[in-house]
Amino acid sequence: MFNFFRKKQEAKLFYHTDVHCHLLPGVDHGAQTVEESLELIARQKAMGIDRIMFTSHVTENTFENTPETLKQGFDILKAAVEEKGIELDMHYSAEYRLDEYWIKQRDEGRLVALPGNYILLENSYQQELLMLDDIMFDIQLKGYRPILAHPERYPYYAMRHDRYRTLHNAGVKFQVNLLSLAGYYGVGPKQTAEWLIDNDFCDFLGSDMHGERHAVVIEDYITTKEWRKIAKKLDGRLLNDKI
């Protein structure tokens, strides 16, 4: 039993940067307190993550965050991390839902990009946004480098893998969720995530961690043989640590 727990504790990711998580305290429906944020950061550190991109939701009507609210949450957490003496390279941006609020933020020049001018974008779960190709082209013209968050989770792409090819060939990077690979969202997203990896359409992995439940799922998954096979396929291909 003790060997089992020691082995689980020592399970590490092969990369060191999480490009997608919801750990800023009280900013969206992820971590709600500084204490919870620090606990989840500790869990990430134990998995080998020492650089985190905090990507809180920016969504019309639910989480209408601004550069100011994002910075406020980040500054509070950064001060707590420094007070605890935690060594962590920290950056903040957002997971932007492609909706009217995002268009307003974009047009006003109020988007907060990741390092390298990457920007994490989330499509609707109901249907693909009209004119998506034009939007992705336009944002690249503005100097941004779009990353589509968890493309495996959009059910309308499940039988239309040609859309993945079209978007990826047009310069849109793809970020697959570890939770999808672990089966957290069901068989469909898991199979699609594996298909994206097998076809070299996975540019980034992200935890998409919101709370302890997600942390436990990921901790368990990265101890498995299945993960080791996936990691072997992706090692040297991911852009996480290059962002």
Side-chain angles (χ1 to χ4, degrees), residues 106-204:
R106 180 201 65 185
D107 291 348
E108 294 177 354
R110 290 173 59 75
L111 301 181
V112 181
L114 292 162
N117 234 27
Y118 284 102
I119 188 159
L120 187 67
L121 302 171
E122 180 183 41
N123 217 341
S124 165
Y125 289 98
Q126 304 304 315
Q127 63 180 29
E128 185 180 61
L129 188 71
L130 293 175
M131 308 294 288
L132 179 65
D133 299 82
D134 292 340
I135 289 170
M136 291 298 188
F137 179 71
D138 179 70
I139 200 169
Q140 289 180 78
L141 286 181
K142 288 179 167 57
Y144 294 104
R145 304 163 79 179
I147 304 172
L148 184 61
H150 43 65
E152 73 280 0
R153 294 186 63 195
Y154 307 121
Y156 42 82
Y157 290 148
M159 302 302 293
R160 299 179 59 211
H161 287 176
D162 59 303
R163 284 298 289 148
Y164 291 128
R165 291 189 175 90
T166 299
L167 288 168
H168 202 262
N169 289 342
V172 180
K173 301 298 185 184
F174 291 163
Q175 176 263 303
V176 169
N177 277 4
L178 277 170
L179 290 165
S180 298
L181 291 168
Y184 182 80
Y185 308 109
V187 174
K190 176 180 173 64
Q191 291 178 340
T192 302
E194 292 170 349
W195 183 91
L196 289 166
I197 290 169
D198 288 341
N199 287 272
D200 203 17
F201 290 146
C202 176
D203 304 292
F204 299 92

Side-chain angles (χ1 to χ4, degrees), residues 1 8 17 27 77 102 108 121 154 174 219 227 240 243:
M1 180 180 293
K8 178 178 176 179
T17 304
V27 176
L77 182 56
W102 174 80
E108 294 177 354
L121 302 171
Y154 307 121
F174 291 163
E219 287 165 349
W227 163 245
N240 286 51
I243 196 170

Side-chain angles (χ1 to χ4, degrees), residues 21-27 31-42 44 52-56 69-86 88-92:
C21 67
H22 299 267
L23 305 188
L24 291 188
V27 176
Q32 294 303 298
T33 65
V34 170
E35 291 73 23
E36 185 181 359
S37 297
L38 292 173
E39 169 61 25
L40 294 170
I41 287 171
Q44 291 239 28
I52 297 180
M53 310 291 159
F54 297 92
T55 53
S56 304
T69 61
L70 296 172
K71 185 177 188 303
Q72 181 181 33
F74 179 79
D75 288 346
I76 289 170
L77 182 56
K78 191 172 190 297
V81 166
E82 291 174 352
E83 183 180 352
K84 292 290 186 181
I86 300 169
L88 183 69
D89 187 1
M90 301 172 62
H91 303 266
Y92 74 97

